[in-house]
């Protein structure tokens, strides 16, 4: 902290320009890069990579993935997501020390690490926080959570109906891609109805719907990536709510904490710091 009485008058350095496809969570200078993969969204209860950054080494620059503009992801598969993120990494010419992934982001983290290993002397470390692969039962759970999140603008009957319908559709056909499309249509319809009824900004409602659709497409794209080979040399950092996917990691570090807190827990930050500063 600058305690100079004239600190507020001192010129401030411009924030580093965000590379295409990435957000700079922390600028640690020209040294090693640490990449973080997540579908970050505002208002979520789960911790994010933003929360872990203060507990990491200050001399590591941390980039976090951003998503394509809403609608641009329509025709994107897993390889297209990875290629979009790789462009800026390659152009930077910087050494990537580690690639971190959160939940399904761990799938894409594996693909990025594999690509980066082809352009630098040694592959980056891979750290997965409660890694998971997209499966239909989790998609149903995610959909119901989103409905609960927007319960303030939905009627009680709408909440009950959407959740019951989510379970019915899952029982009828649990194919991930088809189920995702059906959940997306249902979400679009109920949000439009709620926003019109409440005389809220319909464009905002459409943006909320498009964001959910974008998330589903992100999951669909992740299903096209096989992370198992890279995960086998990676480290899973697990909460007490971890999934069986953590068993695919070469090493697992377990913490007796809730999944919601895994990226904000100081003990997790210390463990990750040790991994990032250990001799290669």
């Amino acid at each position: 902290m600058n305690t100079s009485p004239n600190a507020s008058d001192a010129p401030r350095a411009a924030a580093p320009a965000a590379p295409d496809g990435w957000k700079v969570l922390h600028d640690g200078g020209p040294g090693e890069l640490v990449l973080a993969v997540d579908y970050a969204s505002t208002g979520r209860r789960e911790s994010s990579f933003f929360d872990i950054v203060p507990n990491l080494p200050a001399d590591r620059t941390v980039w976090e993935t951003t998503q394509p503009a809403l609608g641009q992801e329509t025709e994107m598969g897993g390889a297209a997501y990875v290629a979009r993120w790789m462009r800026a990494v390659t152009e930077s010419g910087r050494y990537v020390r580690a690639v971190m992934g959160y939940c399904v982001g761990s799938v894409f983290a594996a693909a990025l690490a594999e690509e980066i290993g082809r352009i630098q002397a040694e592959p980056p470390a891979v750290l997965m926080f409660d890694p998971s692969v997209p499966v239909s039962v989790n998609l149903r759970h995610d959909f119901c959570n989103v409905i609960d999140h927007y319960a303030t603008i939905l009627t009680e009957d709408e909440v009950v109906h959407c959740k019951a319908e989510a379970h019915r559709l899952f029982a009828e056909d649990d194919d991930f891609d088809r189920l995702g499309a059906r959940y997306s249509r249902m979400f679009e319809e109920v949000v439009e109805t709620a926003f019109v009824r409440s005389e809220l900004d319909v464009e905002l409602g459409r943006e909320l719907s498009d964001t959910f659709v974008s998330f589903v497409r992100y999951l669909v794209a992740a299903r096209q990536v096989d992370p198992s080979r890279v995960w086998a040399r990676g480290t899973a950092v697990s909460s007490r709510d971890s999934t069986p996917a953590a068993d695919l990691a070469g090493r697992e570090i377990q913490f007796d904490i809730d999944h919601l807190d895994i990226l904000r827990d100081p003990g997790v930050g210390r463990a990750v710091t040790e991994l990032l500063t250990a001799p290669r």
Side-chain angles (χ1 to χ4, degrees):
M1 179 183 296
N2 191 338
T3 57
S4 164
N6 297 319
S8 61
D9 298 325
R12 296 182 179 181
D20 186 37
W22 298 88
K23 175 169 57 178
V24 180
L25 293 185
H26 175 70
D27 181 16
E32 297 177 341
L33 265 183
V34 176
L35 306 178
V37 187
D38 186 16
Y39 192 102
S41 58
T42 57
R44 78 180 193 189
R45 294 189 305 141
E46 296 91 341
S47 54
S48 69
F49 283 112
F50 177 84
D51 297 306
I52 201 172
V53 162
N55 295 318
L56 300 184
D59 61 348
R60 302 296 198 277
T61 292
V62 182
W63 291 0
E64 181 184 48
T65 52
T66 62
Q67 300 302 313
L70 294 177
Q72 289 186 2
E73 82 292 338
T74 304
E75 303 300 327
M76 289 177 64
Y81 275 88
V82 175
R84 175 177 180 269
W85 293 323
M86 273 300 299
R87 279 193 291 272
V89 175
T90 303
E91 290 169 2
S92 76
R94 298 180 66 166
Y95 179 83
V96 179
R97 177 57 186 261
V99 185
M100 307 187 295
Y102 174 77
C103 293
V104 171
S106 300
V107 174
F108 286 117
L112 280 168
E114 192 165 37
E115 291 298 313
I116 292 165
R118 296 189 174 107
I119 62 173
Q120 65 182 38
E122 55 188 5
V126 180
L127 309 178
M128 302 98 71
F129 298 84
D130 277 348
S132 65
V133 294
V135 292
S136 296
V137 68
N138 289 348
L139 178 60
R140 183 189 67 190
H141 179 74
D142 289 339
F143 176 81
C144 291
N145 279 347
V146 170
I147 293 299
D148 282 336
H149 184 76
Y150 290 109
T152 54
I153 62 169
L154 304 176
T155 66
E156 185 176 347
D157 285 345
E158 285 170 338
V159 171
V160 171
H161 170 75
C162 284
K163 292 168 123 180
E165 190 69 359
H167 283 265
R168 186 189 71 79
L169 291 172
F170 174 81
E172 181 180 281
D173 180 6
D174 65 357
D175 176 82
F176 192 96
D177 293 13
R178 290 193 293 270
L179 191 63
R182 289 171 178 172
Y183 285 171
S184 294
R185 285 194 296 272
M186 181 163 48
F187 189 75
E188 288 172 331
E189 290 169 3
V190 74
V191 167
E192 181 179 11
T193 298
F195 270 69
V196 170
R197 179 183 60 241
S198 304
E199 298 183 343
L200 298 172
D201 185 350
V202 176
E203 286 301 313
L204 175 59
R206 189 168 296 117
E207 183 178 340
L208 293 177
S209 297
D210 289 348
T211 299
F212 179 75
V213 172
S214 168
F215 174 64
V216 171
R217 288 173 177 154
Y218 168 86
L219 298 179
V220 169
R223 285 173 57 83
Q224 300 169 14
V225 176
D226 179 6
S228 57
R229 184 171 59 252
V230 176
W231 280 10
R233 68 170 180 82
T235 299
V237 181
S238 300
S239 71
R240 55 173 166 259
D241 307 308
S242 64
T243 73
D247 296 337
L248 299 176
R251 176 190 180 194
E252 183 179 12
I253 306 174
Q254 297 179 319
F255 290 86
D256 186 22
I257 56 175
D258 289 338
H259 169 71
L260 295 176
D261 297 322
I262 194 167
L263 291 174
R264 67 170 66 99
D265 183 82
V268 171
R270 287 191 293 271
V272 173
T273 292
E274 289 179 11
L275 294 170
L276 293 179
T277 55
R280 294 300 299 266

